[in-house]
């Protein structure tokens, strides 16, 4: 949770790319997986997901020749599936993991509603921007079986929402 235009989305994308590839910097002290991961990342709408999350991870959405120039290295971006009904948006990517196997990342949108965030068992979920509380809870649920993680990169533009309250309350700041 931080101000606008300070690098939250870039930082979130960098972490996603590190987990997807398994290429952890020597200085990394955070969570590590020594195997491929299954993950979702999303934002408020398909356009915002495409223009933020997808652009940083894959490369310029409107120029397919630049796919592979994002934070996921080009030689690690093995395959992608296009999203129907959202120009230049991807539904998912397959990423080469250092283990020799492949990680997968699905792109999502909050405006799909909670039910589209159900059903998968995931290692991590990245919410870029503040999700509605029901979507956030579904993201948490997706990681229960794996002991995975959920992280958010957002500016609290909605004020003291349920999601913001849960973080502030957890920190004991109320």
């Amino acid at each position: 949770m931080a101000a606008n235009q300070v690098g939250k989305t870039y930082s979130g994308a960098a972490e996603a790319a590190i987990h997807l590839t398994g290429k952890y910097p020597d200085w990394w002290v955070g969570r590590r997986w020594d195997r491929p991961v299954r993950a979702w990342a999303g934002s408020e709408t398909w356009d915002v997901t495409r223009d933020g999350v997808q652009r940083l991870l894959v490369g310029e959405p409107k120029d397919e020749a630049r796919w592979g120039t994002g934070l996921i290295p080009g030689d690690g971006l093995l395959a992608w599936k296009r999203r129907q009904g959202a120009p230049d948006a991807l539904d998912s990517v397959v990423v080469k993991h250092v283990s020799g196997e492949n990680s997968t990342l699905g792109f999502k949108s909050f405006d799909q509603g909670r039910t589209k965030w159900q059903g998968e068992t995931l290692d991590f979920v990245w919410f870029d921007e503040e999700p509605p509380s029901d979507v956030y809870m579904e993201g948490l649920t997706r990681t229960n079986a794996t002991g995975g993680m959920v992280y958010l990169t957002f500016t609290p533009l909605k004020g003291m929402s349920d999601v913001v309250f849960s973080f502030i309350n957890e920190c004991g700041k109320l």
Side-chain angles (χ1 to χ4, degrees):
M1 213 169 27
N4 280 315
Q5 296 295 307
V6 297
K8 297 179 303 296
T9 301
Y10 186 85
S11 297
E15 181 159 354
I18 289 168
H19 293 311
L20 290 164
T21 62
K23 294 180 179 179
Y24 294 95
D26 292 339
W27 50 262
W28 186 263
V29 295
R31 180 74 184 264
R32 290 178 181 251
W33 279 277
D34 59 0
R35 58 169 176 75
V37 295
R38 293 178 49 84
W40 281 348
S43 195
E44 294 181 353
T45 66
W46 277 109
D47 292 346
V48 176
T49 299
R50 176 197 63 210
D51 296 343
V53 173
Q54 178 185 321
R55 177 181 57 83
L56 290 172
L57 287 171
V58 176
E60 176 56 47
K62 294 175 181 19
D63 183 358
E64 191 171 337
R66 292 181 55 196
W67 291 5
T69 63
L71 290 165
I72 297 170
D75 61 352
L77 188 61
L78 301 178
W80 55 78
K81 181 180 175 190
R82 294 178 185 279
R83 176 77 189 163
Q84 297 296 319
D88 307 312
L90 295 176
D91 185 69
S92 61
V93 292
V94 177
V95 178
K96 182 177 182 166
H97 188 270
V98 296
S99 67
E101 297 181 52
N102 299 331
S103 294
T104 59
L105 174 69
F107 294 103
K108 293 285 191 182
S109 166
F110 305 161
D111 63 3
Q112 292 179 279
R114 181 192 60 78
T115 59
K116 297 294 185 181
W117 289 78
Q118 292 178 208
E120 291 281 355
T121 300
L122 302 169
D123 295 301
F124 75 86
V125 175
W126 168 33
F127 294 110
D128 184 48
E129 300 306 339
E130 181 182 352
S133 59
D134 61 339
V135 171
Y136 174 65
M137 292 307 294
E138 279 300 328
L140 289 174
T141 302
R142 299 304 105 225
T143 62
N144 282 347
T146 64
M149 66 181 206
V150 174
Y151 64 100
L152 294 78
T153 51
F154 73 101
T155 300
L157 299 174
K158 299 174 186 174
M160 187 60 76
S161 66
D162 290 341
V163 172
V164 170
F165 178 81
S166 70
F167 286 106
I168 292 173
N169 190 47
E170 182 68 27
C171 293
K173 299 295 181 190
L174 287 180

